[in-house]
Amino acid sequence: MRLHLIAAATFVASAALAACSSSVGITPPPPAPLPSPVPAEHYDGTLTQTYTYLYGYPSPEPPNTSTTAIKGVVTVSPTTGPGLPSGTNDVHVKETDTTPLQSSTTVSDAYVHTSATQALLYGSVSELKAPQGGQSTHTTTSYVTPQTLSRSHGTWTNSPAETIDEKYSDGHYQDRTIAANGSYEEKGTAFSLGGRMVGTEIVEESSGAGGYTGPFEGCPPKTSFLFTAAPKISVSLVSKPPVLGCEQAAASIPDWYPAGPTLYREQDRVRSGALMPSSCGPSAGKRARLTERSSALLDTIIGYREHTDVSVFGPLQGPPDCIVFADEIDNYYDWQGDQISFFAFTDNGHPVSTILTDETVVFKSSSPDGASAIVTAAQTHFGATLDAVRARLRDAMIRRFVTMSNSAGGTR
């Protein structure tokens, strides 16, 4: 569910990055014009995010929790495009997320083909319309092989192979290509200390090694932070050609993931006999048909583990009633500058902070087609929510590396 980034810098790590897939699935077509009047489905929900800081200088900060009220409107219309089979629909969603302080709107289009036995997601386009003064984004996701969102029975898994293209309202962008083994290459742009737009690149190799190449004032364009893989993780700063002040010896990081890591795994299934949770409203406690999707992601460069669960509940016969989402991100590198040392990596192999994202969506449709559309819409939107969280972690890393350079060049 990856769920789901070009400029000059060329990464100097090993040829293992060739493992990254360059293949592309479909190119999502422009959203189809909606019929008038628009037949719409609706859903309500609540999203809660809790940030917990586990490092101890000067003392652990208290958890920070925010709650968001969700209201979504879903419309479905047929669509066509290269790589899309006949009968594909554009599931269009307008979701408004409201907190006590502000509200934002996300508009998305998911390209889905549904049969009697399964629902397949080929790609999506989403646009976050941030409040005034905020950063708006436009994200296009294309899967190399379509993602199975649901099946009538049995078990399955999905490949993470995809491309994710993000464009931001301030003019910078990120393009990520993810391979079937979870390794990736991400190229994009960021702002240097002088306000110039400069190229960045992040590479995650299948071994867990990789690094970041980006703007370092006064240093050659091929200056990179390189991470080795577990066991014996370390990070060093290198430049080509070598320049005094643009090189830094390797610093050790306690192993926080195993050697030969699995960067992505997913296990999905359908089972009967589950109980409806209390968050599903009047159906709580009743026997239910449950579609469970569980995935795990490891990013050894930005430095986090993530586990995501999607649970779709419904009666044993009939359309589903609600969806419960749960996501946990454990961070092992502190890019926020919250500690006195720059190299604020885990000192014992344990997380330095966690991000919990929980969401429950209750359907307002009793028709099978309407419920199916909401299942697609809600999963695509939750994926976009998680993409935004991961993007903030990546951007914090880039900002931290940028601020290492001083006005005279090199690093402090």
Side-chain angles (χ1 to χ4, degrees), residues 61-81:
E61 296 184 33
N64 178 16
T65 300
S66 63
T67 301
T68 302
I70 295 170
K71 289 189 176 295
V73 181
V74 183
T75 54
V76 180
S77 58
T79 190
T80 59

Side-chain angles (χ1 to χ4, degrees), residues 153-167:
H153 62 279
T155 62
W156 69 94
T157 188
N158 286 304
S159 166
E162 63 187 288
T163 60
I164 305 172
D165 300 327
E166 299 176 346
K167 294 180 175 61

Side-chain angles (χ1 to χ4, degrees), residues 359-390:
E359 179 178 331
T360 299
V361 171
V362 179
F363 302 176
K364 289 188 171 182
S365 173
S366 59
S367 73
D369 289 344
S372 176
I374 294 175
V375 168
T376 297
Q379 291 189 64
T380 303
H381 256 65
F382 190 72
T385 298
L386 299 182
D387 282 342
V389 174
R390 299 185 201 105

Side-chain angles (χ1 to χ4, degrees), residues 143-180:
Y143 300 103
V144 174
T145 54
Q147 301 277 291
T148 301
L149 295 180
S150 63
R151 284 185 176 172
S152 57
H153 62 279
T155 62
W156 69 94
T157 188
N158 286 304
S159 166
E162 63 187 288
T163 60
I164 305 172
D165 300 327
E166 299 176 346
K167 294 180 175 61
Y168 292 81
S169 55
D170 67 1
H172 85 281
Y173 65 91
Q174 300 291 334
D175 298 327
R176 175 175 289 204
T177 299
I178 305 173

Side-chain angles (χ1 to χ4, degrees), residues 8 36 103 120 129 132 137 153 173 185 200 225-226 281 288 300 354-355 359 376-377 390 402 405 412:
S36 181
S103 65
L120 298 177
K129 300 179 179 180
Q132 186 173 4
T137 62
H153 62 279
Y173 65 91
E185 179 177 0
T200 64
F225 273 99
L226 301 181
T300 65
T354 64
I355 305 170
E359 179 178 331
T376 297
R390 299 185 201 105
V402 168
S405 54
R412 38 175 194 262

Side-chain angles (χ1 to χ4, degrees), residues 140-366:
T140 301
T141 302
S142 178
Y143 300 103
V144 174
T145 54
Q147 301 277 291
T148 301
L149 295 180
S150 63
R151 284 185 176 172
S152 57
H153 62 279
T155 62
W156 69 94
T157 188
N158 286 304
S159 166
E162 63 187 288
T163 60
I164 305 172
D165 300 327
E166 299 176 346
K167 294 180 175 61
Y168 292 81
S169 55
D170 67 1
H172 85 281
Y173 65 91
Q174 300 291 334
D175 298 327
R176 175 175 289 204
T177 299
I178 305 173
N181 61 9
S183 62
Y184 69 83
E185 179 177 0
E186 177 172 303
K187 296 183 179 181
T189 53
F191 292 97
S192 70
L193 288 179
R196 295 182 299 112
M197 189 83 77
V198 292
T200 64
E201 185 168 6
I202 305 172
V203 170
E204 169 84 80
E205 301 174 10
S206 59
S207 66
Y212 165 83
T213 299
F216 298 95
E217 297 294 327
C219 293
K222 295 180 180 179
T223 301
S224 308
F225 273 99
L226 301 181
F227 290 80
T228 61
K232 299 183 178 179
I233 305 170
S234 67
V235 59
S236 57
L237 179 67
V238 300
S239 62
K240 289 192 176 181
V243 174
L244 182 65
C246 300
E247 300 263 332
Q248 187 166 281
S252 297
I253 302 172
D255 288 345
W256 56 274
Y257 64 89
T262 299
L263 300 180
Y264 183 82
R265 68 177 184 273
E266 181 176 334
Q267 295 178 320
D268 308 327
R269 65 173 180 168
V270 176
R271 64 185 179 93
S272 299
L275 295 179
M276 290 274 197
S278 58
S279 53
C280 287
S283 300
K286 295 181 180 179
R287 292 288 176 182
R289 181 177 182 273
L290 171 61
T291 299
E292 297 176 298
R293 302 185 61 207
S294 179
S295 61
L297 170 67
L298 171 65
D299 190 310
T300 65
I301 308 305
I302 301 174
Y304 64 86
R305 294 177 180 273
E306 181 175 11
H307 186 90
T308 307
D309 289 314
V310 179
S311 302
V312 183
F313 293 92
L316 298 178
Q317 301 293 328
D321 291 336
C322 69
I323 306 181
V324 177
F325 299 96
D327 183 82
E328 179 175 352
I329 295 178
D330 294 324
N331 300 295
Y332 294 82
Y333 303 158
D334 169 35
W335 301 120
Q336 305 293 338
D338 299 309
Q339 301 186 58
I340 57 175
S341 162
F342 169 74
F343 289 111
F345 302 117
T346 175
D347 61 358
N348 55 9
H350 297 161
V352 299
S353 65
T354 64
I355 305 170
L356 303 179
T357 304
D358 298 295
E359 179 178 331
T360 299
V361 171
V362 179
F363 302 176
K364 289 188 171 182
S365 173
S366 59

Side-chain angles (χ1 to χ4, degrees), residues 46-103:
T46 301
L47 182 146
T48 302
Q49 284 189 311
T50 301
Y51 290 75
T52 303
Y53 308 95
L54 306 174
Y55 35 77
Y57 180 87
S59 62
E61 296 184 33
N64 178 16
T65 300
S66 63
T67 301
T68 302
I70 295 170
K71 289 189 176 295
V73 181
V74 183
T75 54
V76 180
S77 58
T79 190
T80 59
L84 295 178
S86 175
T88 298
N89 284 320
D90 175 353
V91 180
H92 178 86
V93 188
K94 181 178 181 180
E95 181 179 293
T96 301
D97 300 338
T98 304
T99 70
L101 299 178
Q102 64 182 26
S103 65

